[in-house]
Amino acid sequence: MILLCLKSCKLLSEELYNAYAKNGVPEPEDLMITAVGTLGKTYIVQPGDKFYYKDASVISLRNYGHVSSAYLKIVMETPLMEKQIKSNSSGTTVSTLTIVRMNNYLLPLPPLAEQHRIVAKLEELLPLCQQLAANP
């Protein structure tokens, strides 16, 4: 499990975590997205991850539509999303991303089988691209 602390971290007792979890916690395949400062960095919640968050530095997108989380993570890292986020995320002193703004973004969403093919092809090609970039 990855522990990401944006401002401060606290370890919770199992009892306190269970009390907070009654109000909802991220579930496997949900996306956690940085929403303050560096915007749009995305983490896919994994089975067994156990964490709770309470501030607006991170937003959680529940995967209600059972879309490929790996595909959505890839989309979040595209120039298309970077442009949408940057053009619509200004704050008074720090750029912010809100769930209201996320609801207005356009996401290319092919059929599920095509999402899986895209992810598989990128997983195949990206290591080759990284090798080429490292050895020009």
Side-chain angles (χ1 to χ4, degrees):
M1 180 167 88
I2 297 172
L3 178 62
L4 173 65
C5 299
L6 298 176
K7 292 183 182 174
S8 64
C9 290
K10 286 187 349 182
L11 292 175
L12 301 177
S13 68
E14 189 76 24
E15 181 180 45
L16 186 55
Y17 174 81
N18 289 334
Y20 285 153
K22 290 178 184 173
N23 296 324
V25 294
E27 297 177 4
E29 299 302 313
D30 289 350
L31 297 178
M32 304 299 293
I33 302 170
T34 56
V36 174
T38 303
L39 304 178
K41 299 298 177 193
T42 305
Y43 174 75
I44 301 171
V45 177
Q46 303 297 311
D49 280 355
K50 216 171 178 180
F51 57 91
Y52 173 79
Y53 72 103
K54 66 178 179 99
D55 66 23
S57 296
V58 177
I59 57 176
S60 176
L61 297 181
R62 178 73 25 101
N63 194 348
Y64 289 114
H66 304 290
V67 174
S68 166
S69 294
Y71 172 79
L72 289 176
K73 184 178 187 313
I74 290 167
V75 169
M76 288 300 298
E77 297 168 350
T78 64
L80 169 72
M81 285 306 298
E82 287 179 16
K83 183 178 178 183
Q84 287 186 86
I85 289 169
K86 285 180 182 174
S87 69
N88 190 20
S89 61
S90 60
T92 53
T93 56
V94 177
S95 294
T96 58
L97 178 61
T98 65
I99 198 70
V100 171
R101 289 180 181 144
M102 281 293 301
N103 283 333
N104 292 316
Y105 294 152
L106 299 175
L107 299 172
L109 195 58
L112 187 58
E114 184 65 15
Q115 294 171 39
H116 291 301
R117 283 191 290 274
I118 291 168
V119 170
K121 185 53 86 172
L122 284 173
E123 287 175 347
E124 174 189 335
L125 294 176
L126 284 177
L128 298 172
C129 294
Q130 291 167 345
Q131 283 178 338
L132 289 172
N135 300 313

